[in-house]
């Protein structure tokens, strides 16, 4: 299973259909939740997220916060290590 | 090596709320960052729709969205808000910009449910949100 991570050459996700479905479900739930606000709140939050996405593309969080770790391990491997060991430390 | 780092992060996670006074500002920020990163990913594994995905897709989704997930979790937990924090690791002076985004999020008075749903949209959205917003407007 671990080898699968490293053997994958392309960046395509396997479950595009499922991922789209979950994203649409979350959007629908957010719409339902903010129904009383009509669509104003939803539009406000989506716009905020969109702006954040743009701004975050200019910020390297790994360099700001994890520079001391990245000297020893790549961010990708750090994330992989956390995912792999998470059940051990927080069952 | 990966194990050592993870243990370091877990120690930071467990001691985050009882930091010692003699810990330097840099260490404090790094510990908080490790805490937030671990907490973000830990939260994700409580989401059944995420847990049901195969390991490869889980990793790909985390890899592409961890930074915004980190930001949203930081804002939700109201971290990195202290003013006048100098931070020597921040060579490109990006930390104040990061702080300003967190403050902007807090100004919108986002509740816990909204944070949860926003994080899910970020995780499961594989495109730029501006396209999602445009399709919603139509």
């Amino acid at each position: 299973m671990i080898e699968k991570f490293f053997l994958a050459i392309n960046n395509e996700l396997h479950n595009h259909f499922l991922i789209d479905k979950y994203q649409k479900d979350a959007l629908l739930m957010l719409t339902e939740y903010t129904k009383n606000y009509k669509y104003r709140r939803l539009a406000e939050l989506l716009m905020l997220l969109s702006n954040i996405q743009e701004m975050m593309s200019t910020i390297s969080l790994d360099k700001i916060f994890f520079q001391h770790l990245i000297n020893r391990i790549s961010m990708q491997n750090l994330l992989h290590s956390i995912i792999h060991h998470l059940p051990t430390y927080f069952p | 090596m990966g194990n050592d780092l993870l243990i370091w992060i877990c120690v930071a996670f467990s001691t985050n709320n009882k930091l010692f006074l003699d810990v330097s500002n840099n260490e404090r920020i790094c510990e908080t960052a490790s805490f937030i990163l671990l907490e973000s990913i830990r939260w994700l594994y409580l989401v059944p729709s995420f847990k049901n995905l195969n390991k490869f897709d889980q990793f790909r989704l985390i890899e592409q969205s961890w930074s915004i997930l980190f930001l949203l979790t930081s804002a939700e937990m109201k971290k990195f808000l202290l003013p006048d924090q100098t931070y020597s690791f921040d060579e490109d002076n990006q930390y104040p910009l990061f702080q300003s985004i967190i403050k902007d999020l807090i100004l919108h008075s986002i509740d816990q449910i909204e944070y949860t749903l926003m994080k899910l949209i970020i995780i499961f959205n594989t495109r730029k949100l501006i396209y999602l917003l445009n399709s919603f407007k139509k």
Side-chain angles (χ1 to χ4, degrees):
Chain A
M1 186 62 78
I2 296 170
E3 285 172 1
K4 220 170 153 188
F5 285 124
F6 302 106
L7 289 176
I9 299 167
N10 62 40
N11 286 347
E12 288 298 313
L13 293 161
H14 289 162
N15 284 336
H16 251 303
F17 176 77
L18 269 181
I19 290 160
D20 279 351
K21 181 183 172 301
Y22 293 142
Q23 179 241 312
K24 280 175 188 159
D25 285 350
L27 184 64
L28 186 69
M29 286 163 69
L30 186 61
T31 309
E32 286 295 313
Y33 178 72
T34 53
K35 221 170 202 171
N36 291 337
Y37 294 81
K38 294 294 177 187
Y39 298 109
R40 188 171 51 84
R41 181 65 167 167
L42 172 62
E44 178 190 341
L45 293 181
L46 281 180
M47 187 60 81
L48 180 65
L49 271 181
S50 173
N51 291 339
I52 285 173
Q53 216 171 30
E54 288 297 313
M55 290 169 83
M56 287 300 284
S57 64
T58 66
I59 299 178
S60 303
L61 284 189
D62 49 351
K63 284 184 184 165
I64 301 179
F65 294 115
F66 305 107
Q67 186 67 58
H68 56 303
L69 299 179
I70 291 169
N71 290 337
R72 298 168 61 193
I73 183 173
S74 72
M75 194 67 208
Q76 194 181 34
N77 283 341
L78 178 63
L79 289 172
H80 180 261
S81 188
I82 291 173
I83 293 165
H84 186 68
H85 290 95
L86 207 60
T88 311
Y89 292 95
F90 303 104
Chain B
M1 183 182 286
N3 264 345
D4 295 345
L5 290 170
L6 194 72
I7 290 166
W8 185 89
I9 288 175
C10 288
V11 168
F13 183 92
S14 61
T15 58
N16 184 266
N17 292 323
K18 41 189 174 185
L19 294 168
F20 300 108
L21 288 175
D22 59 348
V23 173
S24 77
N25 196 47
N26 275 357
E27 285 177 69
R28 192 172 299 132
I29 290 176
C30 288
E31 282 186 357
T32 305
S34 301
F35 166 76
I36 294 291
L37 180 65
L38 205 57
E39 182 59 25
S40 305
I41 297 175
R42 193 168 73 112
W43 169 83
L44 205 45
Y45 277 86
L46 299 176
V47 178
S49 335
F50 183 83
K51 217 172 176 180
N52 290 341
L53 291 171
N54 66 53
K55 290 275 179 193
F56 176 80
D57 285 349
Q58 287 178 349
F59 180 70
R60 294 297 310 167
L61 290 178
I62 288 176
E63 191 189 23
Q64 70 185 13
S65 61
W66 75 268
S67 60
I68 300 185
L69 189 64
F70 180 95
L71 173 83
L72 289 171
T73 308
S74 302
E76 188 179 10
M77 301 179 90
K78 297 186 168 53
K79 299 287 185 185
F80 306 112
L81 287 170
L82 290 176
D84 305 324
Q85 272 190 326
T86 53
Y87 186 44
S88 60
F89 285 134
D90 183 24
E91 290 168 357
D92 299 326
N93 208 27
Q94 291 186 323
Y95 186 62
L97 178 60
F98 173 77
Q99 277 189 312
S100 73
I101 301 175
I102 290 185
K103 284 172 188 165
D104 194 24
L105 276 163
I106 289 172
L107 280 177
H108 281 78
S109 304
I110 300 165
D111 65 28
Q112 199 181 8
I113 295 173
E114 287 173 330
Y115 268 120
T116 299
L117 297 174
M118 286 167 77
K119 285 193 280 189
L120 291 177
I121 287 173
I122 285 295
I123 283 291
F124 291 118
N125 185 40
T126 54
R127 292 156 294 178
K128 290 261 181 188
L129 267 168
I130 193 70
Y131 300 116
L132 184 63
L133 192 60
N134 287 337
S135 65
F136 173 72
K137 280 177 184 170
K138 287 173 192 168

